[in-house]
Amino acid sequence: MATTQEVIKELKKHLKEKRLLVIIGAGFSKNASNKYLSWRELLRDMIIEMYGNTKTKLKTLPIDQLVESIISEKGYLSVASDYVRRRGYHEAIDEYVESRTPIIKRDGNDYSMILDGKKQHKPVDLNIHKLLLSFEWNNVYTFNYDNLLDIAADTDKNDDINKEIIKCQEDIIKLTKEKLKKEEGIAKLNNKRPDVQNITASILASDTLPGNNRIKNSSSENEYFANKKLVKDKDEVDKLQKEVDEFKTEIKRNETRIEGLRREQKDLYMIVEKNYQDSIRS
């Protein structure tokens, strides 16, 4: 049989290899505040409501003794099942628990506790939760109704990153469309112009001649102005190409940003709420 030290050594090895998972129960939330109830405390009102007025010897028991007696006899799950049956709908247990479970909200660099819609003036300590999450678990599972792990793990940061990734992707689509328009403009201009360099040289030479000699140096006035239009088209092509290059640079910048954001996501916790998803950690 392995000794305690050997077991700890083996656990440390598995933890280092990210082969351990941890399951967080309701009691762990008490590290943050005594406003979070254990199952025994949570079922107290439920037990009083359902069994406190029965015509049995339980009616004469002190409240704490009544609670202990019912839990010992039935167990937590049976008490909750009785409550659902009496209420007639399964969501009744969710409503009951949620009304007695504080929710944490960020308040600048601090946290606020909300219980049944009211702000509680009680300190919230997430240090133990953050310490737990600092280890390299494979997964972290919890069935608690509170959001302490969500806040401690900065799961909202994952949502913010997803929003930024979507924004970058939308920008890439928009930039790509604009780039294609400019490239189409370049193609149209290129298709209708011959050797622009030779024409440009010819026009520049013609432009140096005074007065009518400039026109006479061309085969015709129409040809001269047609050539001038081609040079103007070349300038437009150069302008469009510069814009295309700028779009390419901006597209590449967004692609690089997305790659960086995805790398950042790898070390973040994310919330998985569906039972067919096999991980609570990304």
Side-chain angles (χ1 to χ4, degrees):
M1 184 175 178
T3 65
T4 301
Q5 287 185 335
E6 289 172 336
V7 171
I8 292 174
K9 184 178 180 180
E10 189 70 12
L11 286 173
K12 288 174 68 175
K13 177 177 178 291
H14 290 316
L15 182 61
K16 186 177 181 180
E17 296 171 352
K18 293 187 178 182
R19 295 173 59 191
L20 285 184
L21 61 84
V22 60
I23 300 175
I24 307 301
F28 195 77
S29 301
K30 283 187 168 292
N31 290 305
S33 170
N34 59 11
K35 281 287 185 179
Y36 292 94
L37 306 178
S38 65
W39 273 107
R40 188 176 300 274
E41 294 167 331
L42 189 61
L43 296 181
R44 179 186 175 91
D45 293 343
M46 187 183 293
I47 289 172
I48 293 171
E49 177 186 334
M50 292 195 297
Y51 309 108
N53 295 320
T54 56
K55 295 179 180 180
T56 66
K57 63 178 182 178
L58 292 177
K59 185 177 179 180
T60 62
L61 292 177
I63 295 299
D64 289 342
Q65 194 174 339
L66 169 67
V67 172
E68 290 294 332
S69 177
I70 293 296
I71 290 176
S72 297
E73 177 189 343
K74 293 177 173 291
Y76 298 122
L77 292 179
S78 292
V79 172
S81 297
D82 285 350
Y83 184 78
V84 170
R85 280 194 295 271
R86 290 198 183 197
R87 291 286 177 168
Y89 60 103
H90 187 272
E91 291 77 10
I93 190 66
D94 295 327
E95 294 172 359
Y96 177 91
V97 175
E98 287 171 0
S99 67
R100 291 163 174 79
T101 302
I103 294 297
I104 301 300
K105 292 187 177 180
R106 289 192 183 279
D107 190 2
N109 294 326
D110 210 344
Y111 308 99
S112 295
M113 181 189 294
I114 310 296
L115 178 58
D116 200 20
K118 299 176 183 177
K119 186 173 181 179
Q120 305 294 304
H121 299 287
K122 293 282 186 178
V124 182
D125 185 359
L126 293 179
N127 287 327
I128 301 298
H129 283 72
K130 290 182 177 181
L131 177 62
L132 172 82
L133 295 172
S134 68
F135 293 102
E136 295 293 330
W137 306 107
N138 178 272
N139 292 297
V140 178
Y141 291 96
T142 183
F143 301 98
N144 292 351
Y145 281 78
D146 63 68
N147 66 333
L148 289 169
L149 282 170
D150 308 7
I151 297 295
D154 287 328
T155 54
D156 54 337
K157 188 175 181 181
N158 188 70
D159 295 335
D160 292 340
I161 289 178
N162 278 332
K163 289 177 183 177
E164 189 172 350
I165 288 175
I166 291 172
K167 175 66 168 57
C168 288
Q169 290 171 335
E170 290 173 346
D171 287 346
I172 288 174
I173 292 172
K174 182 179 178 181
L175 290 165
T176 301
K177 288 180 179 179
E178 292 297 320
K179 180 176 75 72
L180 289 174
K181 286 181 183 179
K182 302 298 181 183
E183 289 174 337
E184 288 172 1
I186 291 173
K188 287 178 182 179
L189 290 170
N190 281 336
N191 287 338
K192 68 179 184 180
R193 66 191 181 96
D195 188 348
V196 176
Q197 286 186 340
N198 291 336
I199 293 171
T200 303
S202 173
I203 291 175
L204 289 175
S206 300
D207 282 345
T208 60
L209 299 176
N212 292 333
N213 290 331
R214 181 184 61 192
I215 301 300
K216 291 176 183 177
N217 198 51
S218 298
S219 58
S220 69
E221 185 176 355
N222 289 337
E223 180 184 346
Y224 171 80
F225 285 109
N227 288 344
K228 290 280 281 188
K229 175 66 168 59
L230 288 172
V231 172
K232 183 179 179 182
D233 287 348
K234 179 182 181 300
D235 292 340
E236 183 65 20
V237 167
D238 292 342
K239 178 185 174 184
L240 290 173
Q241 186 59 56
K242 182 179 179 182
E243 291 176 355
V244 166
D245 292 340
E246 289 173 353
F247 283 132
K248 287 180 178 179
T249 299
E250 193 63 19
I251 289 170
K252 182 62 178 176
R253 187 190 69 80
N254 277 278
E255 290 173 342
T256 302
R257 178 59 179 155
I258 289 174
E259 291 174 2
L261 289 169
R262 294 203 186 282
R263 284 195 298 270
E264 192 175 342
Q265 273 186 318
K266 287 182 179 180
D267 293 324
L268 288 178
Y269 282 90
M270 59 183 291
I271 301 174
V272 175
E273 297 176 337
K274 306 298 183 182
N275 57 9
Y276 59 81
Q277 294 173 302
D278 61 2
S279 176
I280 289 184
R281 180 170 184 164
S282 59

